[in-house]
């Protein structure tokens, strides 16, 4: 049995119960279903969390804080930098005739994850067609639209709606990028990316732009996409070992 790639960052004792890529996909899928059911049955959790950041007189006051606005703006530049680096890696290995090598395939996996996850699934399908109004647009927080539960399609938002969070999905992609960083930087990069991703996601809730469920489901759905694409792109063969974050590069060393 092959180790679960993400769990390979941790000691063997902590991952002994789950040892196959299919099991790891199933765990994340079950987490997404369980989270969806939880927020559907207990919609008050979404409302309560958003109320933490809301003042009846001044609204979502943190939305005007310059440091938090700068935090949000920073994600555009960081994502652009990671994207350019991934494109450079693909182009460099393609010109050298090593496009099938593991390093190039990792960059291809990262790019395809951005397109399919945050791009198509989140921004192309869910945000455009589910119509969930953002917290600030609801009558709970000074708007006109009624609160809508997760996965309920409504006509209270026409485009770029609340479900799910596009910026949280992009933040999850940055964590995926950290997981394929060179081995000597990987642990630190992953820890920093995770902290940054959580900060960006909480920022969106604090601004009244997203519900807690929008953020959590964005993470889980994108994790499913990234893991499924890793199975397709990073697996050497149909029955080969699936180790996207701990693999030998085409040059023969470990990254």
């Amino acid at each position: 049995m092959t180790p679960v790639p993400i769990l390979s960052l941790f000691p063997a004792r902590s991952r002994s119960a789950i040892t196959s890529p299919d099991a790891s996909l199933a765990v994340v899928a079950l987490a997404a279903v369980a989270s969806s059911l939880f927020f559907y049955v207990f919609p008050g959790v979404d409302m309560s969390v958003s109320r933490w950041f809301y003042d009846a007189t001044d609204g979502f006051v943190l939305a005007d804080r310059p440091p938090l606005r700068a935090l949000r703006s920073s994600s555009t530049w960081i994502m652009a930098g990671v994207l350019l680096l991934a494109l450079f890696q693909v182009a460099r290995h393609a010109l050298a005739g090593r496009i099938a090598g593991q390093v190039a395939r990792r960059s291809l996996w990262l790019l395809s994850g951005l397109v399919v996850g945050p791009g198509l699934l989140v921004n192309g399908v869910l945000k455009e067609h589910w119509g969930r109004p953002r917290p600030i647009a609801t009558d709970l927080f000074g708007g006109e639209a009624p609160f809508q539960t997760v996965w309920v399609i409504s006509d209270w938002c026409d485009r770029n709606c609340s479900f799910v969070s596009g910026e949280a999905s992009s933040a999850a992609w940055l964590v995926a990028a950290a997981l394929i960083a060179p081995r000597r930087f990987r642990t630190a990069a992953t820890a920093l990316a995770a902290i940054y991703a959580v900060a960006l996601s909480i920022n969106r809730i604090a601004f009244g732009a997203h519900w807690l469920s929008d953020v959590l489901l964005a993470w889980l759905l994108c994790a499913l996409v990234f893991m499924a694409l890793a199975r397709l792109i990073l697996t050497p063969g149909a029955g080969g070992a699936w180790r996207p974050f701990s693999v030998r590069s085409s040059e023969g060393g470990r990254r």
Side-chain angles (χ1 to χ4, degrees), residues 111-202:
L111 293 171
S112 63
L114 179 63
V115 171
V116 178
L120 293 178
L121 176 62
V122 172
N123 287 288
V125 177
L126 296 176
K127 288 175 67 67
E128 290 297 317
H129 299 289
W130 253 251
R132 188 184 198 188
R134 298 176 184 273
I136 200 169
T138 66
D139 52 16
L140 297 170
F141 302 110
E144 298 180 353
F147 172 82
Q148 298 294 313
T149 312
V150 292
W151 293 111
V152 173
I153 298 176
S154 81
D155 57 1
W156 284 98
C157 176
D158 294 330
R159 59 183 300 276
N160 194 27
C161 304
S162 189
F163 185 76
V164 289
S165 172
E167 287 175 68
S169 68
S170 298
W173 181 76
L174 291 176
V175 177
L179 286 168
I180 59 170
R183 192 176 185 86
R184 60 187 179 277
F185 305 125
R186 190 175 303 157
T187 300
T190 301
L192 289 173
I195 294 170
Y196 184 66
V198 171
L200 283 175
S201 301
I202 294 176

Side-chain angles (χ1 to χ4, degrees), residues 14-15 23 67 69 78 107 111 137 153 160 170 183 189 197 236 248:
S14 67
R15 63 179 192 263
R69 296 182 69 86
I78 292 176
S107 294
L111 293 171
I153 298 176
N160 194 27
S170 298
R183 192 176 185 86
R248 292 191 181 278

Side-chain angles (χ1 to χ4, degrees), residues 208-229:
H210 286 290
W211 308 97
L212 175 62
S213 56
D214 297 329
V215 166
L216 293 180
L217 286 171
W219 289 346
L220 290 169
L221 292 174
C222 284
L224 274 176
V225 169
F226 301 154
M227 294 170 76
L229 288 172

Side-chain angles (χ1 to χ4, degrees), residues 2 8 14 28 46-47 81 85 87 113-114 126 145 174 178 222 233 249:
T2 59
S8 67
S14 67
V28 177
D46 265 338
M47 303 178 203
L85 180 60
L87 289 170
L114 179 63
L126 296 176
L174 291 176
C222 284
I233 297 171
S249 72

Side-chain angles (χ1 to χ4, degrees), residues 64-72 203:
D64 294 325
R65 300 291 174 84
L68 297 182
R69 296 182 69 86
L71 173 64
R72 184 192 178 194
N203 210 31

